[in-house]
Amino acid sequence: MTINHYIFLSVALFCIGIIGVLTRRNMIVIFMCVELMLNAVNLLLVAFSKMHFLSASAFDAASKAGTDAQLFVFFVMVVAAAEVSVGLAIIVMMYRNTHSVDVNFLNRLKH
Amino acid sequence: MNPNDVFITFPELLIWFPLLSGLVAFFLTKGDTAKRWAVISSFITVAIVAVSFFFTDKNYFHYNNVSYVWMPSIGSSFALMYDGMGRMLCLLTALAFPLAFLTTYNTNYAKPNHFYGLMLLSQTGLMGVFCAMDALVFYFFWELAIIPIYFLASLWGGERRIQVTFKFFVYTFVASLLLMVGIIYVYLHTPDHSFALSSFLKAALSPGQEKFVFWLFFAAFAVKMPLFPFHTWQPDAYEQAAAPVTMILSGVMVKMGVFALIRWLIPVFPHATGVFTPIVIGLAVTGMVYASLIAWVQDDLKRLVAYSSIVHVGLMCAAIFARNQSGVEGVMLQMFNHGINIIGLWIVVELIESHFGTRKISRLGGIAASTPVLTIFLVIIALANIALPLTNAFVGEFLMFNGVFQYGKWTAAIALITIILSAVYTLNMVQKVFYGNTNALTASGEGMVKRSAAVALTVVVILILLLGIYPKLLLDLTKDTVNEFISRVAGML
Amino acid sequence: MVQLFDFISIGTLNIPFAFQVDQLSAIFMLIITGVGFLIHVYSTSYMHEEASDQYARYFSFLNLFVFSMLLLVLGANYLIMFIGWEGVGLCSYLLIGYWYKNKDFSTAGRKAFVMNRIGDFGFLLAVFWMIQHFGSLNFGDVLGKAAGMPLNDKVLVGITLLLFLGAVGKSAQIPLYTWLPDAMAGPTPVSALIHAATMVTAGIYMIARSNILYTLAPVTQGVVAAIGLATAIFAASIALKQNDIKKVLAYSTVSQLGYMFLGLGVGAYTGAVFHVMTHAFFKALLFLGAGSVIHAMHHEQDIRKMGGLKKQLPVTHWTFLVACLAIAGIPPLSGFFSKDEILSATFSVNKIYWVIGVLGAVLTAFYMFRLYATTFLGKFRGTEEQERHLHESPRAMTVPLVVLAILSAVAGFIGIPAVLGGTHQLENFLSPVFAGSVALQHAAHPDHTTEYLLMGISAGLSVLVLLYAITRFSKKPDMDSPGGLGKLLENKWYVDELYDMIVVKPLHRVSVLLNNVAEKMGIDGVVNGVGKFVSYGSRQLRLLQNGQVGVYILIMVAALLILFIIQLFVL
Amino acid sequence: MSSIILSALWGVVMMFSGIFLKKKSLAKYIALLGIAALLTVNFLEYYNIWYIYADIRQMLKFTSFGQVFNAIVFACTLLFFLLNASEFEAMGPDVYEYYALIFFVLCGVGIAVSFNTLLMLFIGIEIITIPLYILAGSEKRNLRSNEASIKYFLMGVFSTGIMLMGIAFLYGATGTFYIDSMNLGVESLRPMILIGIVLLMVAMSFKVSAAPFHFWVPDVYDGAPTAVTSFMATIVKVASFVAFLHLFDTAFGKMHADWQLLIALITAATLFIGNITAVFQQSVKRMLAYSSVAHAGFMMFALWSLNTFAREGLILYAAAYSLATIGSFAVLAKMKDYSLEGFNGLGKTQPLLALTNTIFLLSLTGIPLTAGFFAKYFMLMGAVKSGTHLWLVIFAVLMAAVSAYYYFRVIQAMYFKEGNAQVTPVSPVFRITLCVTAALIILLGMFPGLLLKGLYY
Amino acid sequence: MGITQLLFWLLTTLTLGSALMVIFSKNPVYSILWLIITFFAISGHYVLLNAQFLAIVNIIVYAGAIMVLFLFVVMLMNLNMPSSPLKNKWLMFAGVISGGSLLLVLVAALKDTEAMRNGILMQTGDIGLIHNLGKVLFKDYILPFEISSVLFLSAMIGAVVIGKKA
């Protein structure tokens, strides 16, 4: 498998996430689509990590190249978790006040 | 003279004194105190300028030049110079304020402390502009002069004052910002990366760059003067602002633009000036005829004076761009004289308006019968406005027209048409307002000229006659500036 | 030559405030101060009805006028001359509009000033041109440098034409003459002094002063002569049908000025100056006489309402008659000599001009005696009220009349031409001033026989016409308004209306148009339009902010897309 | 480093004091103490008197630029606290928590201005934004506040996704997250690098509210409690800008020519939309929101020119803009009516507020003698110096003139219009702080060197 | 085509398919379930790439904790009916178009990148093992690790502040 396969896969996944964000009205689903985008990034990072490991290990068998990307993914997950906790709290707060999770419902602030 | 012996220099004094007294005036809330304070302060300023005339010699260099390090990192210093032209314009600035204050001494403005405070602050800005030798300092004062005027014109004046002043402000602000870009551009091309005028003069600009930056500078100055067709703010602003503000606006502030052409535009962009001279002079001359014609059909005294001011300024601009000794000397004279004359006209207009409550020419008439004193003053000032010999404006206009003539015969011929038109509209106004029989409105002219206003008018008339008969006073004062200017731009045509 | 102080001194250009007295200015000074004195005396009485402050105003203006006029003739350079030039214009303006409460009067003053300004336009351009070309304005420098220039040099023609435009304005020639008849709105002594004797001759003075320039520019001379002649005959034709006593005199002044210009145009500088002098005497006399009549008639100026004043106003009558004879060119009164000098010079240049000139002289005789006959002869046609109050004017008014009458009668003797056995003292006196021109001209004087003939023709015709006019108008003045050509003449060829129609009104309309369209819609419109456009843009642009997160993100994605395309494929 | 640690710690301190101290009014004193401590620590570190050293593997790099900027941030926050203490108390019961969140944001700011790896950038930005999601929604019962919070959140996480994608591509092309050692020269990987740069540019533009990624700004600024808006619009925004500049300068500076045009386009769009849209606003708060967008346009010049002037200018701009905006938001917060009419006659009823507000607005317009002037001046100077595309500079000044239009409408309302502007009671401390803020603006307007000198210590 | 390739294509299909199902499911609950499947598929990819630690974390954190949280919220709000109506037509259309073009643009830009035709060493290398990652995380990445605690702290405070009844 070449890196291109992974790139295209990630990009596709990323764009599916974007399309989801653009087409759905349910806030929770939109949020999920964003998570999809983040996962696309994670996948890409891991693939790149292996790619760089491959090219580095050709010179140095004990190379640690690529570790950083995997740790980056780890931190992305950390942040994502934090975001989810805050985001869901906000959505719940909104739901409490309006009984809706429809983004189109948010239109008091405009112009 | 050792620089260390100098305690304070004239330009500094002229800038800081009005500033301080202006700030003090804000706190004089009780009754007439602010008014009195302002009058006294303005007289002291006149005195300072008067004293400064005894220190013109080269030996007193350190009394007239200042340079403090301000922002060394970008090469700007707080540099001021008090040369002949600056001295003359400072004198005009100094004189304009007491005249304005005296004229309206019997008018009670709401919140006098703010009014007089702001007036004095605008004086600071004007003085700064005329003395600045550093582009950044110049720009600073250029803008600072406008801010107090903005408030003054918006707070005290006619019904439409707010939007009119706003238009004026935004319009000049746009132009100033372009100037700022221009200044930056030139600055970046100076050999030593400095804002000093001397470095600007050495800026290494290619002809193409010059042509471009020229317009950035020119726009700002043209709007301020104002040159046709950038004048749209002016009649409205003059019409709506309170009398003292209008006096300052037209008497002094207009000179900022003219002054800047001489000091900052042409010497810095000699090449572009050469290229664009026909366009600028064309605009100026067109504007002169255009404004004359429009002045003819105005029914509002203030608008009429406003358009006549456009005519005069157009001539100054044309004469400057003609770039010969005669023209520029004429401009020097005329900068001062136009200031005096137009202030005189405003005084008359203000007296009429405050007494009769209208400025409509069609509603006035026959004032000569009820107020002969005012008529005498007015006729003299009106004659000065149309540059009759032995009034101050004549020599200036003569020299300027001569300068334009040396540039181009036909140009001068077209420009000269305005001396006919100016007679038409000025005398038309004099006739309609002052002659004829009094009507119900104007019959009550008794006592409309208060003593303070009479003093102001007398000063104006004395200056008109003095400088009309002996213009050498100003010619000698500004000779060095003109010679330097001419030697710098000569051969660039 | 006296130099007071440096007036303007910049670079190489030096214009001092300097005076110069020579023969030419001396003559003018004499006229100004002499006639001026008489008129002051006359005025003390004529104006005694005015309130004291107005009286003071009158005299201050009058003296300011004398000051300016002296400045004009004494100035040692064109600029000082111009100062006086403008100064007299100003005084004329002030004095015409002296009774400022009358709108028409002040309008007349304004008109005079504006017309003069049109002249100044030319004068100033000429001055600038002189500065450019000669580098100086001193008469000595300019005339001296000009003397070395070739004939009909473009610069000279240009300068002289422009100077002549100034003279046309000041001396009321076609096409700028219309202000002078209107100027009669001023008090009569003013008309006498300014609009007859002195100020209007400033143009002649100026051209005489620069005679060398004109001599070197024959093209201009042709123009001057043609315009002078046209004015002479044109104004005379109008004078034929005027019924206002002062209007008749005014048109006659215009006409006489035309003669002077004719003289200048044909190179008879001395003749022109001579005519200035004689004209000053008899025209001042005529005006003062008219003033006396008007005074007696209680400000009635229409000659149709006068008549038969001979008895009540004897002094006025006799002096008026002398003046009429003088202006009609009846020998040996002064007008004969001066006019004849001009005409004979004209004859030697152009015969047709001479014929027209004589025709003008004849017309002069006709309308002057029409005026004389209608006013003084026949029966009184005014109201009884007026008749009861008819009286001779006081001494202060009659004495100047008498003095002027004497002068009118005898002034001609200082210029008796050689052909009549005289030495022409005036010519000798003025010869230093005109020496340059005379040297250049080599004018072929007509021989003596021709001269006698010419004199005879003009004088004879004048006498005939004079007698006809007296007989006709003393009996039956033309009371009813004429038709056809007469009507055209009565209405001054409708020139004022024509000017109004082709210059003033269109210009005014253009101004209104500029004010309403170019100014308000064009220039204001553009600036305000920018403002409106911004606020319109603002209103539209904020609709983009529609509150929908979906749309916001969509725009973001679209922008991202565009940035990608630009970055990856365009650049 | 020490200020990052201290701000995080002080957040915890605030949190715990919230548990032990019940009185709301004490919170501000503790917060002020914290800010004072932060300022002190920052100064000590700046002058190398006392600092914490830890082996952080070059993940953060501390420069004088960052420290000067931190000082500005802390000073502004100090003023912000002084001016908005009562607003915080009015916002809800959890005052201590709000302060704690703000300290966490400050910690994030510290990271975002001194990061040296993309990871720290990412974490820094997230630490800044996550508390803001909450602060924006802190008026829980207020639907506008809720809406602001939700909108901010949804768009914020979306932009996070974009940013991460950019980071991933850059990593793929260069094999490192360290911005000072990125090898951008591999020609065959150019598309990946460019994609990464564009994605990062978009994400950062979103954070700094540059058009057309600004859409959250008006709504969120409008809906959030005024004090929070004030904080977001100033400190957070300029910190994002510094991060933006730092990233693009250090990491992609070598490829400046490649992405300069995109920045130019974004700048132009930002200036245009921000200024033009602000003209028609009737609510001053919303107008200030748009003006904040407009100012982003000016600050973008720093990225466009990427020279010394740009960096100096950004520092000045950060200070000038933050001071003025904090000030005018503080005045706004005291108004009973946020609409333009609500300001009518303020000059008469509250001369001091009106005067200081005028100074703030003049500074925002960029009138000389105020700090705003030199801020703009340096930005334009940098831009002109970079040579090409002078049209953008001209366009910018024209837009600055438009900005005069809407700022001066407020001045007009305050001074020239008849009216009786109502304000909530203001404390003496508030007045004094306003005056200090205005004085600082004028001081910087006369002597910008005071601040710039710090950069070259 | 070896087993690895086969697995890759299988997982890819699953990933993309279930991702599409996420956005096309009317019912949010189904979306969540499909998302969980996507996460599992991605974890499969991680395993293929020998990043076992991330695979595990992905399943535990994402599929386990986060998605359960989502599910929980959805159930709590009683949104488990296919109620969510779609946005208006043209907006959806525009969304799909722009998302699709984005994909197109990216693919077009990247497809020619020669140097990226490298194979990836699958199921080799031990950098993805917890023992390796842990060492690096706690030595080199101590700072971000500590800092993320601040992040969590603020998220926690936020969740509490927002979540508790006012």
Side-chain angles (χ1 to χ4, degrees), chain B residues 195-414:
Chain B
F195 282 98
L197 178 60
S198 50
S199 308
F200 265 46
L201 294 173
K202 285 181 280 187
L205 291 165
S206 73
Q209 290 168 328
E210 261 197 28
K211 280 188 213 166
F212 173 68
V213 189
F214 174 87
W215 289 110
L216 295 179
F217 274 66
F218 184 75
F221 304 154
V223 167
K224 188 75 46 120
M225 288 203 287
L227 190 67
F228 169 86
F230 304 105
H231 62 268
T232 159
W233 61 268
Q234 194 225 34
D236 285 346
Y238 287 7
E239 184 188 343
Q240 294 296 326
V245 181
T246 314
M247 288 179 205
I248 302 310
L249 256 180
S250 59
V252 191
M253 205 152 275
V254 161
K255 310 303 173 304
M256 284 165 55
V258 182
F259 162 87
L261 287 184
I262 298 177
R263 178 146 294 165
W264 292 98
L265 182 76
I266 295 178
V268 178
F269 309 108
H271 177 263
T273 307
V275 176
F276 294 126
T277 296
I279 298 177
V280 175
I281 292 190
L283 275 183
V285 171
T286 316
M288 285 170 71
V289 177
Y290 174 85
S292 299
L293 287 175
I294 289 190
W296 186 16
V297 293
Q298 294 305 316
D299 190 38
D300 186 303
L301 276 174
K302 281 192 161 184
R303 289 186 83 85
L304 186 141
V305 179
Y307 281 106
S308 98
S309 173
I310 296 176
V311 181
H312 291 123
V313 168
L315 177 59
M316 290 188 224
C317 180
I320 293 172
F321 272 83
R323 276 167 297 151
N324 48 47
Q325 193 148 19
S326 168
V328 180
E329 277 286 15
V331 172
M332 292 291 168
L333 284 179
Q334 189 64 356
M335 276 200 275
F336 190 84
N337 294 333
H338 174 253
I340 295 295
N341 296 348
I342 202 164
I343 287 174
L345 282 174
W346 290 130
I347 296 176
V348 176
V349 172
E350 164 63 12
L351 291 177
I352 290 176
E353 191 186 0
S354 64
H355 195 82
F356 299 121
T358 183
R359 299 186 306 259
K360 291 270 172 265
I361 293 174
S362 51
R363 292 189 57 200
L364 294 164
I367 294 180
S370 56
T371 319
V373 185
L374 184 67
T375 312
I376 295 169
F377 283 128
L378 180 270
V379 169
I380 295 176
I381 296 166
L383 293 175
N385 195 43
I386 59 176
L388 206 80
L390 295 189
T391 63
N392 55 358
F394 170 71
V395 186
E397 290 212 358
F398 177 81
L399 289 173
M400 286 194 289
F401 277 121
N402 185 33
V404 176
F405 189 87
Q406 316 301 326
Y407 167 79
K409 293 185 181 61
W410 289 107
T411 319
I414 295 170

Side-chain angles (χ1 to χ4, degrees), chain E residues 44-60:
Chain E
H45 277 298
Y46 292 162
V47 173
L48 272 186
L49 289 163
N50 224 18
Q52 292 92 337
F53 171 66
L54 287 180
I56 296 296
V57 172
N58 201 31
I59 288 176
I60 295 173

Side-chain angles (χ1 to χ4, degrees), chain D residues 1 8 12 15 57 59-60 94 97 101 104 111 119-120 123 126-127 130-131 134 140 169 188-189 191-192 195, chain E residues 106 109-110 113 115-116 139-144 147 150-151 153-155 157-159 161-162 164-166:
Chain D
M1 184 74 195
V12 179
M15 208 168 79
R57 308 290 152 109
M59 286 195 173
L60 295 176
D94 310 310
E97 280 76 6
L101 288 174
F104 290 140
I111 295 166
L119 175 61
M120 291 314 287
I123 294 177
E126 285 305 315
I127 296 182
I130 287 180
I134 297 147
K140 280 185 283 184
F169 270 108
S188 58
L189 293 176
M192 273 172 74
I195 290 173
Chain E
L106 289 175
L110 292 167
T113 323
M116 298 196 302
K139 272 165 77 185
D140 295 350
Y141 280 72
I142 186 73
L143 177 74
I147 292 289
V150 177
L151 184 74
L153 204 54
S154 58
I157 295 176
V161 167
I162 293 283
K164 75 177 177 187
K165 285 217 162 131

Side-chain angles (χ1 to χ4, degrees), chain B residues 167 171 228-233 235-236 289-290 293-294 296-298 303 307 325-327 329 365 368-369 372 379 383 386-390 394-395 397-399 401-402 405-407 409 412-414 416-417 419-424 427-428 430-432 434-437 468-472 475-476 479, chain C residues 5-13 15 17 53 67 71 79 82-84 86-87 90 93-94 97 100-110 113-114 117-122 124-133 137 162 503-505 507-512 514-515 518-520 523-524 527-528:
Chain B
K167 177 171 152 189
Y171 203 21
F228 169 86
F230 304 105
H231 62 268
T232 159
W233 61 268
D236 285 346
V289 177
Y290 174 85
L293 287 175
I294 289 190
W296 186 16
V297 293
Q298 294 305 316
R303 289 186 83 85
Y307 281 106
Q325 193 148 19
S326 168
E329 277 286 15
V379 169
L383 293 175
I386 59 176
L388 206 80
L390 295 189
F394 170 71
V395 186
E397 290 212 358
F398 177 81
L399 289 173
F401 277 121
N402 185 33
F405 189 87
Q406 316 301 326
Y407 167 79
K409 293 185 181 61
I414 295 170
L416 260 179
I417 291 175
I419 69 162
I420 303 168
L421 294 174
S422 74
V424 173
L427 297 183
N428 201 15
V430 171
Q431 185 195 7
K432 285 188 178 154
F434 287 87
Y435 297 159
N437 277 314
I469 294 167
Y470 200 66
K472 212 164 176 302
L475 284 175
D476 285 349
K479 194 177 278 171
Chain C
F5 53 85
D6 272 358
F7 187 52
I8 296 173
S9 167
I10 45 164
T12 53
L13 177 66
I15 306 173
F17 209 105
D53 58 331
F67 162 76
L71 204 59
L79 190 66
F82 184 74
I83 292 174
E86 281 275 31
L90 165 70
Y93 161 73
L94 292 171
Y100 54 77
K101 286 187 184 169
N102 185 324
K103 262 242 142 99
D104 289 344
F105 290 7
S106 49
T107 308
R110 202 183 76 203
F113 197 87
V114 171
R117 273 262 153 164
I118 297 175
D120 298 344
F121 166 80
L124 274 176
L125 277 178
V127 165
F128 297 143
W129 209 337
M130 282 192 258
I131 294 178
Q132 190 183 40
H133 200 260
L137 285 180
L162 288 169
V503 180
V504 180
K505 281 206 179 125
L507 208 57
H508 195 266
R509 221 167 289 147
V510 166
S511 300
V512 172
L514 281 179
N515 187 35
E519 184 73 5
K520 296 211 173 112
I523 293 175
D524 275 6
V527 174
N528 294 341

